């Protein structure tokens, strides 16, 4: 393993070449300047990459290639139509009872598969006090909103003080508001998770926080990452994981099974497995849905219910999230009973309860 300074971050081709001998496709990225998402990799994460393997799954996630710059007719910059669903400058209200707040566009590491590339790494910085207050007022006026996602960018790039005042702004108006801290930092830069961060969060006990991580490969679950997540869990903040299904990274049943089992063994609940969104510049990461469905079926057989994530797709044109997966329900048989085919291929039927009207009829007969 290469030694690394914990605080260092690589942002140029030259610095990157000190760690990895770049492939042609990786060099070509730097010849074209029209890619919006900057290069940024903490040396911590670089140290996890095997430099001998040009197809290393961690490398694929963070080292840019020219494939990002290929124009794509099916791809758009905002397939979830988050701009249309924005109710204040950084607040997205797509589902009735929950909202997403874009706390900052900055991340310690830019993932090449990022679906929010229209915003991520655009050097806008953290939400201003005005933007925070505007969003908090909106949430205060919409009592149907029960949860807020602090997302971005990566919310944990904010300083403790800034994060504290952001939480304060929302919780002073809505003490009951559940806050999801959506962050890749446990995987990308776990040393950010300090005791002082956790102490700060613990003051806000009027409603729960949830930590939503993004681990995409079992090798990201290092000792440091585990310690970082432990700090949240010990403080009473449950940890969940959202994995993006990525070609050449984790589109393999063995890899996903190992990832999910290890997550559970470290008190992280696998929550979603996401089909790749139709975001321009990420086509080379997408897995065909047919293969995704097959993986889902294999996972369902090999994982416990606890370790099983929901395979889901966020539909284009702002259609929203829907679960994907094999159906075990075949339809109804001639007697009107529901027919199922279980994981082993065996058929079973389940008749519906007799309705009250029907049972009254039977009494009269
Ligand atoms: C995914 C998402 C949520 C949260 O959805 P869950 O299914 O509850 O995890 C909320 N708002 C937006 C805009 C989202 O994209
Ligand atoms: S951490 Fe999240 S927001 Fe940041 S680049 Fe990665 S996927 Fe995008």
């Amino acid at each position: 393993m290469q030694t690394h300074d914990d605080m260092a971050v690589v942002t140029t081709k030259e610095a990157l070449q000190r760690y990895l001998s770049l492939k042609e496709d990786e060099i070509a990225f730097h010849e074209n300047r029209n890619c919006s998402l900057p290069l940024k990799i903490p040396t911590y994460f670089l140290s996890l990459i095997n430099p001998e393997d040009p197809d290393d799954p961690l490398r694929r996630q963070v080292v840019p290639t020219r494939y990002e710059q290929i124009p794509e007719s099916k791809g758009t910059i905002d397939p979830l139509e988050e701009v249309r669903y924005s109710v204040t400058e950084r607040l997205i209200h797509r589902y009735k009872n929950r909202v997403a707040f874009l706390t900052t566009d900055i991340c310690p590491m830019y993932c090449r598969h990022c679906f929010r590339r229209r915003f991520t790494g655009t050097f806008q910085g953290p939400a201003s006090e005005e933007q925070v207050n505007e969003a908090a007022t909106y949430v205060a006026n919409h009592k149907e909103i029960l949860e807020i996602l602090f997302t971005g960018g990566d919310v944990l790039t904010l300083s403790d003080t800034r994060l504290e005042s952001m939480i304060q702004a929302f919780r002073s108006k809505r003490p009951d508001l559940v806050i999801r801290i959506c962050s890749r930092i446990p995987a990308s830069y776990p040393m950010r998770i300090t005791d002082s961060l956790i102490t700060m969060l613990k003051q806000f006990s009027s409603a729960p926080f949830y930590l939503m991580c993004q681990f995409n490969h079992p090798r990201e679950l290092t000792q440091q990452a585990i310690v970082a997540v432990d700090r949240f869990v010990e403080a009473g903040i449950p940890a969940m994981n959202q994995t993006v299904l990525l070609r050449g990274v984790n589109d393999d049943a063995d890899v996903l099974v190992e990832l999910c089992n290890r997550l559970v063994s470290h008190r992280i609940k696998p929550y979603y497995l996401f089909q790749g969104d139709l975001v321009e510049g990420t086509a080379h990461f997408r897995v065909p849905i047919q293969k995704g469905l097959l993986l889902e079926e294999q996972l369902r057989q090999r994982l416990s219910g606890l370790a099983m994530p929901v395979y889901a797709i966020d539909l284009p044109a702002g259609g929203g999230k829907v679960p994907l997966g094999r159906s075990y329900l075949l339809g109804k048989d001639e007697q009107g009973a529901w027919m199922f085919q279980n994981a082993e291929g065996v058929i079973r039927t389940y008749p519906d309860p007799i309705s009250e009207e029907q049972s009254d009829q039977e009494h009269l007969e």
Side-chain angles (χ1 to χ4, degrees):
M1 203 169 100
Q2 206 140 7
T3 57
H4 62 276
D5 165 4
D6 270 0
M7 307 305 281
V9 172
V10 162
T11 57
T12 64
K13 182 180 89 177
E14 291 68 32
L16 186 55
Q17 281 174 317
R18 272 178 242 134
Y19 292 82
L20 302 170
S21 114
L22 295 187
K23 299 183 282 186
E24 221 173 281
D25 291 333
E26 293 166 337
I27 292 169
F29 169 85
H30 300 273
E31 282 150 20
N32 189 334
R33 295 255 143 240
N34 69 13
C35 177
S36 58
L37 193 67
L39 159 66
K40 192 174 178 188
I41 316 170
T43 53
Y44 158 78
F45 199 86
L46 270 176
S47 74
L48 307 178
I49 295 173
N50 172 9
E52 310 298 325
D53 179 4
D55 300 318
D56 183 279
L58 274 58
R59 177 182 188 141
R60 258 183 85 76
Q61 292 181 69
V62 295
V63 176
T65 64
R66 66 176 183 84
Y67 300 110
E68 286 175 41
Q69 296 156 333
I70 299 172
E72 189 199 359
S73 55
K74 290 179 297 185
T76 62
I77 58 162
D78 184 20
L80 312 186
E81 301 201 348
E82 293 188 331
V83 172
R84 173 160 70 92
Y85 284 109
S86 293
V87 287
T88 72
E89 231 174 291
R90 295 214 186 184
L91 193 69
I92 305 161
H93 195 180
R94 169 66 184 82
Y95 305 100
K96 195 171 190 301
N97 57 6
R98 53 209 191 276
V99 284
F101 187 55
L102 306 184
T103 59
T104 176
D105 64 299
I106 299 162
C107 304
M109 168 169 100
Y110 291 118
C111 315
R112 309 323 301 180
H113 55 267
C114 184
F115 82 99
R116 206 174 271 135
R117 300 164 74 101
R118 67 176 168 88
F119 175 73
T120 310
T122 50
F123 301 97
Q124 300 181 56
S128 67
E129 208 179 301
E130 204 186 332
Q131 289 169 329
V132 172
N133 289 332
E134 207 190 343
T137 303
Y138 181 91
V139 173
N141 292 335
H142 289 79
K143 291 286 185 291
E144 71 275 18
I145 296 171
L146 303 179
E147 296 176 26
I148 189 166
L149 285 68
F150 276 2
T151 180
D154 200 313
V155 60
L156 293 180
T157 56
L158 302 183
S159 68
D160 290 358
T161 336
R162 201 186 272 271
L163 182 55
E164 183 173 11
S165 56
M166 198 178 279
I167 298 167
Q168 185 62 37
F170 286 95
R171 283 280 177 84
S172 62
K173 294 189 170 76
R174 284 289 306 275
D176 61 319
L177 187 65
V178 173
I179 298 177
R180 294 195 211 172
I181 299 168
C182 307
S183 175
R184 199 163 188 220
I185 272 193
S188 61
Y189 197 64
M191 34 301 228
R192 166 67 184 95
I193 316 299
T194 57
D195 287 332
S196 51
L197 169 69
I198 303 296
T199 308
M200 183 277 283
L201 291 174
K202 275 170 124 174
Q203 310 169 75
F204 298 96
S205 54
S206 61
F209 291 105
Y210 281 76
L211 175 70
M212 312 301 285
C213 313
Q214 185 196 141
F215 290 101
N216 294 325
H217 192 278
R219 272 181 31 224
E220 294 168 20
L221 274 167
T222 63
Q223 201 48 45
Q224 285 121 300
I226 291 160
V227 168
V229 176
D230 271 348
R231 292 205 162 126
F232 285 94
V233 178
E234 302 285 321
I237 300 174
M240 319 281 273
N241 189 68
Q242 309 192 140
T243 297
V244 189
L245 182 59
L246 298 166
R247 196 208 297 175
V249 174
N250 59 17
D251 56 340
D252 176 275
D254 290 340
V255 170
L256 289 171
V257 163
E258 190 191 343
L259 174 65
C260 293
N261 282 334
R262 287 199 49 212
L263 287 166
V264 167
S265 72
H266 294 294
R267 298 186 286 188
I268 308 169
K269 161 76 185 122
Y271 177 52
Y272 275 133
L273 172 65
F274 282 124
Q275 174 67 19
D277 295 323
L278 291 184
V279 175
E280 192 153 6
T282 63
H284 55 299
F285 281 115
R286 270 175 241 144
V287 175
I289 288 185
Q290 191 59 48
K291 180 167 184 188
L293 290 171
L294 214 72
L295 286 168
E296 197 269 353
E297 191 175 351
Q298 288 171 294
L299 295 187
R300 181 69 64 186
Q301 287 178 40
R302 292 173 62 183
L303 291 174
S304 74
L306 184 62
M308 184 70 197
V310 173
Y311 178 38
I313 182 169
D314 222 320
L315 295 171
K321 289 188 185 69
V322 292
L324 276 169
R326 199 207 107 168
S327 177
Y328 298 86
L329 182 60
L330 299 177
K332 280 184 170 178
D333 70 8
E334 282 131 42
Q335 285 80 45
W338 292 103
M339 281 172 58
F340 292 87
Q341 182 174 35
N342 74 7
E344 289 94 39
V346 177
I347 309 277
R348 289 287 185 271
T349 57
Y350 179 99
D352 270 336
I354 304 169
S355 72
E356 277 171 39
E357 275 165 56
Q358 260 178 310
S359 71
D360 285 350
Q361 281 286 305
E362 275 164 26
H363 276 291
L364 293 174
E365 275 163 17

